[in-house]
Amino acid sequence: MASKVSQTRLIFVYVTTPSEQIALEIAKAAINEKLGACANILPEMKSVYEWQGNLCEESETLLIIKTEASRYQDLEKKVLELHPHECPCIVALPIQDGHSKFLSWIEKQTS
């Protein structure tokens, strides 16, 4: 059973990056600075979007960082510092439920 305190305090931060190397750099910085407890890197997804009037199709790497909601602003600043894009995708998604020991571990790692 999940910890009720954790449910509303924890988030996944979804970030797209232009390469696995940039995702790894952001992930390591986030973990080293206690801005995230864990990061998952999923290479080579295809993104299709419109940017400045042009239809774009790019290979990107997905980075998912697990953290506390209270760490989001600092984590976003770090991503923006290390990310090469003018307008990177950085989105926070709430963790609604989960394994209580894992959720507690996220809290411990980011406090």
Side-chain angles (χ1 to χ4, degrees), residues 13 20 23-24 30 32 36 38-39 41 48 55 60 72 74-75 80 85 89 109:
V13 179
E20 192 171 344
L24 186 58
N32 285 335
C38 175
I41 298 171
V48 179
L55 184 62
E60 293 188 295
Y72 177 78
D74 291 334
L75 178 57
L80 290 171
H85 287 172
C89 171
Q109 292 300 112

Side-chain angles (χ1 to χ4, degrees), residues 6 11 31 35 64 68 105:
S6 297
I11 59 175
I31 304 310
L35 300 174
I64 302 170
E68 289 196 67
W105 176 78

Side-chain angles (χ1 to χ4, degrees), residues 84-104:
H85 287 172
E86 178 182 336
C87 183
C89 171
I90 310 168
V91 180
L93 305 164
I95 295 176
Q96 294 300 312
D97 210 344
H99 178 56
S100 62
K101 286 183 180 181
F102 182 73
L103 300 180
S104 294

